[in-house]
Amino acid sequence: MAAGDMAAQAEPRSDDDVLRALRTGTAEEHRQLEETLDLLDPELDRARLVQVLGLMHGFWTAAERGLDEWAARHPADAATAGWARRRRAGLFAADLAALGAPVPGAAPGLPAVPGTDEALGRLYVLEGSTLGGTFIDRHLAALPLLAGVRLHAFSPYGAETGAMWAAYRRVARAHVAAGGNADRVVAAARDAFRELSEWCRPAARAQAVGA
């Protein structure tokens, strides 16, 4: 599908809207991921934050590698999606360096990204994290353990967060309106949520054991 065709389509607002399908179809996976990370924990310590950043660096490295391979095969679609501006693995590495922590080399083995349906599903997870990331960013900035340290990976776009998310929404809707497969987009997003949650499980906050 040509990039021009993707960009030119109007945004449908019907009951089968792909953004609505993504939101409802991934709700449980999203909840599980938030519980696993629990980055708004008021008792978050430096060791667990470093562990989370290291795991997220590994996941983003693998996820971006797959998207780079997709972009090489579908450069027009990748340009329309603004893929070149959406890379974040390097920001996680920089945040680890700012905390004086090494950058782990481990990364999960993620499925290939065969087409734009699957790319947009994976991007829903990666880009959607920037919305919650603004709250995480503010929470972390208030923690004494980060006094004098400014992290960037959770809120990479700053004041442009809303505009970057809106651009993703437009592209996803245009792609499906032009013949993309919404079911494949949602399935790829669900897979990405599950893979991220499983990969980050070692950093889950220990739960109190009942008597």
Side-chain angles (χ1 to χ4, degrees):
M1 181 181 304
D5 293 337
M6 290 172 61
Q9 298 294 325
E11 295 188 36
R13 300 289 181 176
S14 64
D15 289 340
D16 61 352
D17 177 84
V18 65
L19 269 299
R20 183 179 293 106
L22 281 163
R23 186 172 60 252
T24 59
T26 64
E28 179 59 20
E29 289 81 5
H30 191 180
R31 182 192 65 77
Q32 291 176 357
L33 177 60
E34 287 186 338
E35 288 184 358
T36 296
L37 295 176
D38 194 21
L39 286 168
L40 296 178
D41 176 11
E43 298 179 1
L44 179 70
D45 60 30
R46 191 183 188 95
R48 195 164 74 82
L49 175 59
V50 165
Q51 188 180 20
V52 169
L53 287 168
L55 290 166
M56 294 183 86
H57 171 266
F59 184 87
W60 255 256
T61 297
E64 290 178 0
R65 185 181 302 123
L67 287 166
D68 282 341
E69 292 169 357
W70 157 74
R73 296 190 306 273
H74 302 275
D77 284 358
T80 298
W83 168 234
R85 287 196 61 196
R86 298 183 185 275
R87 305 177 63 88
R88 289 167 67 193
L91 294 179
F92 286 110
D95 285 353
L96 285 164
L99 290 169
V103 179
L110 299 181
V113 182
T116 300
D117 294 329
E118 292 80 9
L120 290 172
R122 182 172 292 185
L123 280 169
Y124 177 77
V125 177
L126 303 186
E127 290 300 298
S129 70
T130 66
L131 301 178
T134 60
F135 296 98
I136 294 169
D137 192 50
R138 286 198 290 269
H139 172 67
L140 296 178
L143 294 178
L145 67 91
L146 288 179
V149 178
R150 178 73 174 90
L151 303 183
H152 297 280
F154 292 111
S155 185
Y157 306 132
E160 292 187 85
T161 298
M164 291 293 285
W165 177 243
Y168 166 81
R169 288 164 60 94
R170 286 193 299 271
V171 169
R173 284 180 168 132
H175 172 72
V176 171
N181 188 307
D183 289 340
R184 284 203 292 263
V185 176
V186 174
R190 293 185 68 187
D191 287 346
F193 267 124
R194 285 193 292 260
E195 289 149 358
L196 177 55
S197 186
E198 185 61 30
W199 178 249
C200 290
R201 195 168 304 282
R205 181 169 61 92
Q207 299 296 314
V209 179

